[in-house]
Amino acid sequence: MNNIDTKLRSVPKLDRIFNSPDHIVEDGLRGYLLAHPNIIAETQNPRVVRRREGSPVRKVGVITGGGSGHEPAFLGYVGTGMLDAAAIGEIFSSPTAASFLDAMRVADMGAGVACLFGNYAGDTMNVRLAMSDAAKEGITVGTVVANDDVASASKDEAGRRRGVAGEILMWKAGGARAEEGGSLEDVLAAAQKAIDNTRSIGVGLSPCTIVANGHPNFTIEAGTMEVGIGHHGEPGVEIRQLERSSDIARMMCDYVLNDLPFKSGDNVAVLLSGLGATPIIELYVLFADVAAVMKERGIEIRHSFVGNYFTSLEMKGVTLTVMRLDEELDRLMSHPTHSIGLTRVGTFYTPPQKAAPAIVRKIQSEVEDVTVIDRYAARTGIPLQKTTDIVPALVEAIVGARDWLSEIDGKIGDGDHGINMAKGFERCGERLGANPPPLREALQILSDSLLAGIGGSMGPLYGRFFAGMALPLENTDYIDGKVFGLMLDGAEAGIRSLGNADVGDKTLMDTLVPAVRACHATEDGDFLTCLKATSEAAEKGRDSTIDLVARIGRASRLGERSRGVLDAGATSCCLILQTVIASLEKSLKA
């Protein structure tokens, strides 16, 4: 049924230090906790790290979360004067909603929680889901989203820009304001001011490799540099011949300083971060040249940070971040800080801490579950008791396609789609055990496993997808064409509850929506015919993504460079639908 080879590919050996490529995050976290017990501590959730020393007074909790591979971000900034907790995702992948929620719980001291994170689809979805659950528990959460990367979108579309190393200065401002005893509104305002006055750009000289993939997802030719590269290897605005440090500094400053714009007389903070493999001495060579450009333009550097602050595994390159200061931001940048990634003893008198005002009125979450399914009971068709093999078949299919899906994703994404999907489905398989429950319960177990086990955007998307599929089954003992159509309606409603993607955007919706339509067009006839039509529509929709330019998600920033390859989400959706259909066909023919 699926005409694309899904044969497993072996991961080549790498000159890297690891035990298991699939558990490098867990092993790395263990090392961090053992090496820095005076700064960070573990929590009941192994993917959430908290500040070791609690605040002596009530304060606003400040948290963040993000994918691993950027160390010392994100857990490296948990500590006094910065973050109270951090949620930790897989390599280059957002933490799960469950991890964000646990970070909110850990950080809540009665004055509210400020969640400060980067502008990525997966982070946004998982934070929204976590905020919804936090509100039900009476935890008030406010957010600020970093979008400091000038290369990822134009000024007219600043809301689409990525958050990169500027997030560190946002955490510094928000964390310091919280330590001063500011209210939740004060902390959010300080963090927002910080990111509004911050601009960044990166330059990449070499690619990076996710250990579980075993090969880079992109290339940078020797002697060239990718200007505007993202922290996951996303292409930038142009490819140039590698130049001298002074030329690189002038070029980066032009991009950053002209965007706000910065002007003569401004005071600024400058953060120059290596991307993982850049020798420290080269960073200081570049900083000297950046400082020379600033002096030429009459801009004074009040605070400077040089080192590996926000990396990208072993990528060679650098990110330049500049923040325009006012009196408040200058004070907050000077505030004492003690964390793994950043320590400052403070350059001004720090007044005694005062308690932040307690949150009296709990604000209800604006996030609502919009999944609504018509009630319908089939009287004939496939008995639910004969469908217990469907979810185990899905587990086998996704785990078997792990490397294939990651290879597809690597062409225009991070290359971790199959890796993360396989982890979530394996988790489901373990929970199902040898005797899987009825289909509705099994689908809910799968949904819960994906929401808790997959970060990025796919965890919440497929979590809602399968939760929506399960809803119509509570009203029926059989599956016929109409029930199957309602199951697909539920899957589509679950996806739409989290975003606005549609057909033509180069996402899983290009597979799902045509399949839903084909099912409804044939649901009143022969069930086998309906299943065949649905499968063919899903496959045609998947293949249509080859000719599309991505308009949603991380790949959308690639423009025309996203054309010519399959979309990984559309591909996994097709595999899922065809696996379900194959199981149903088997039951019909039995």
Side-chain angles (χ1 to χ4, degrees):
M1 183 174 292
N2 192 327
N3 61 8
I4 297 181
D5 178 23
T6 61
K7 183 175 66 175
L8 288 175
R9 293 166 173 82
S10 61
V11 177
K13 293 183 179 179
L14 298 172
D15 294 327
R16 302 280 285 277
I17 298 173
F18 61 91
N19 291 313
S20 165
D22 291 332
H23 297 95
I24 195 167
V25 174
E26 290 82 357
D27 292 345
L29 282 174
R30 184 164 53 90
Y32 263 99
L33 289 164
L34 290 170
H36 304 285
N38 60 320
I39 300 177
I40 58 174
E42 63 184 347
T43 66
Q44 291 184 340
N45 185 330
R47 289 301 183 90
V48 175
V49 170
R50 67 173 176 84
R51 171 177 160 180
R52 166 65 69 180
E53 297 296 335
S55 173
V57 296
R58 182 182 60 249
K59 63 179 282 294
V60 173
V62 183
I63 71 166
T64 192
S68 298
H70 302 301
E71 289 72 24
F74 293 80
L75 61 82
Y77 299 100
V78 173
T80 305
M82 290 200 76
L83 301 170
D84 294 288
I88 300 151
E90 291 292 336
I91 300 293
F92 294 176
S93 185
S94 164
T96 63
S99 292
F100 273 116
L101 176 60
D102 283 338
M104 294 169 185
R105 289 167 172 158
V106 166
D108 182 37
M109 296 172 237
V113 176
C115 182
L116 316 177
F117 62 100
N119 191 22
Y120 298 91
D123 298 85
T124 300
M125 289 181 188
N126 284 295
V127 168
R128 283 177 57 198
L129 291 173
M131 287 178 66
S132 177
D133 289 336
K136 296 172 185 175
E137 297 179 14
I139 301 173
T140 300
V141 181
T143 63
V144 177
V145 181
N147 59 336
D148 52 299
D149 182 14
V150 301
S152 53
S154 66
K155 288 183 68 173
D156 294 337
E157 296 183 298
R160 296 181 61 244
R161 287 179 168 178
R162 299 179 291 241
V164 286
E167 293 182 48
I168 299 168
L169 302 184
M170 175 180 67
W171 302 330
K172 179 76 178 68
R177 191 69 186 91
E179 292 282 347
E180 291 180 343
S183 67
L184 178 58
E185 290 75 14
D186 294 333
V187 172
L188 295 173
Q192 189 67 62
K193 180 193 286 187
I195 205 64
D196 286 345
N197 284 277
T198 298
R199 300 291 187 272
S200 300
I201 192 166
V203 170
L205 308 182
S206 70
C208 61
T209 298
I210 297 175
V211 171
N213 282 354
H215 58 81
N217 293 328
F218 61 98
T219 60
I220 299 177
E221 297 297 330
T224 67
M225 56 183 179
E226 183 91 40
V227 180
I229 197 165
H231 277 137
H232 305 106
E234 302 97 330
V237 291
E238 61 176 323
I239 298 174
R240 289 193 181 190
Q241 291 297 308
L242 185 59
E243 301 170 318
R244 295 181 306 171
S245 173
S246 58
D247 296 320
I248 295 173
R250 191 168 298 279
M251 176 269 296
M252 296 181 82
C253 285
D254 285 342
Y255 272 109
V256 168
L257 299 181
N258 294 338
D259 190 84
L260 191 59
F262 294 81
K263 62 183 185 300
S264 177
D266 283 343
N267 294 324
V268 299
V270 173
L271 185 146
L272 198 64
S273 176
L275 294 181
T278 307
I280 297 296
I281 192 171
E282 295 180 19
L283 295 179
Y284 279 97
V285 170
L286 183 60
F287 179 80
D289 292 323
V290 168
V293 175
M294 296 290 182
K295 185 176 181 179
E296 285 179 15
R297 300 198 180 192
I299 297 172
E300 181 182 350
I301 300 176
R302 291 269 299 160
H303 305 276
S304 55
F305 308 90
V306 182
N308 285 322
Y309 290 100
F310 204 123
T311 65
S312 185
L313 293 174
E314 86 287 19
M315 191 187 298
K316 188 177 292 185
V318 64
T319 298
L320 171 65
T321 298
V322 183
M323 172 194 281
R324 182 170 61 190
L325 302 171
D326 63 4
E327 183 178 345
E328 180 186 31
L329 290 177
D330 190 18
R331 183 185 83 244
L332 298 177
M333 290 302 104
S334 300
H335 196 282
T337 300
H338 183 45
S339 63
I340 298 167
L342 179 62
T343 293
R344 303 208 86 183
V345 297
T347 58
F348 74 102
Y349 170 71
T350 304
Q353 286 183 314
K354 65 177 182 179
I359 296 292
V360 177
R361 183 175 62 88
K362 300 300 181 182
I363 303 172
Q364 293 300 311
S365 170
E366 297 178 357
V367 180
E368 298 293 339
D369 186 354
V370 299
T371 303
V372 179
I373 299 297
D374 292 336
R375 292 184 176 275
Y376 167 76
R379 298 185 179 182
T380 60
I382 302 172
L384 287 182
Q385 63 187 15
K386 291 186 178 181
T387 59
T388 56
D389 64 329
I390 290 179
V391 174
L394 285 171
V395 172
E396 182 179 0
I398 293 297
V399 172
R402 172 185 182 275
D403 295 334
W404 174 58
L405 291 173
S406 288
E407 181 178 321
I408 292 171
D409 186 40
K411 297 181 186 299
I412 55 173
D414 292 345
D416 61 357
H417 184 66
I419 296 169
N420 291 338
M421 290 281 285
K423 280 192 174 183
F425 277 75
E426 283 178 336
R427 181 173 182 161
C428 173
E430 292 169 358
R431 290 184 60 185
L432 290 176
N435 298 303
L439 182 58
R440 183 180 184 278
E441 183 179 345
L443 286 171
Q444 192 58 57
I445 290 173
L446 178 54
S447 173
D448 294 342
S449 298
L450 299 182
L451 284 168
I454 299 183
S457 59
M458 287 300 105
L461 286 174
Y462 275 129
R464 287 285 181 91
F465 178 102
F466 288 112
M469 285 192 80
L471 287 178
L473 299 181
E474 67 183 11
N475 304 314
T476 184
D477 294 323
Y478 297 89
I479 298 178
D480 61 5
K482 186 168 183 178
V483 169
F484 187 55
L486 291 173
M487 291 171 67
L488 296 183
D489 285 341
E492 182 180 350
I495 298 295
R496 292 192 185 279
S497 72
L498 292 175
N500 58 358
D502 214 327
V503 174
D505 289 334
K506 200 179 180 90
T507 70
L508 64 83
M509 295 296 274
D510 290 294
T511 293
L512 179 58
V513 173
V516 174
R517 292 171 180 169
C519 181
H520 286 311
T522 56
E523 65 184 16
D524 292 327
D526 177 66
F527 194 10
L528 276 174
T529 301
C530 173
L531 293 173
K532 181 180 179 182
T534 305
S535 176
E536 290 175 350
E539 191 164 316
K540 185 176 179 181
R542 175 201 67 192
D543 293 344
S544 73
T545 63
I546 294 175
D547 297 322
L548 295 176
V549 173
R551 297 195 298 232
I552 296 288
R554 186 170 295 153
S556 65
R557 300 184 177 99
L558 302 181
E560 282 294 328
R561 296 172 73 172
S562 66
R563 194 191 299 275
V565 297
L566 286 171
D567 176 72
T571 304
S572 62
C573 183
C574 183
L575 179 58
I576 286 167
L577 293 178
Q578 291 188 328
T579 300
V580 172
I581 289 169
S583 294
L584 293 174
E585 288 177 334
K586 181 179 177 182
S587 296
L588 281 173
K589 296 174 181 178

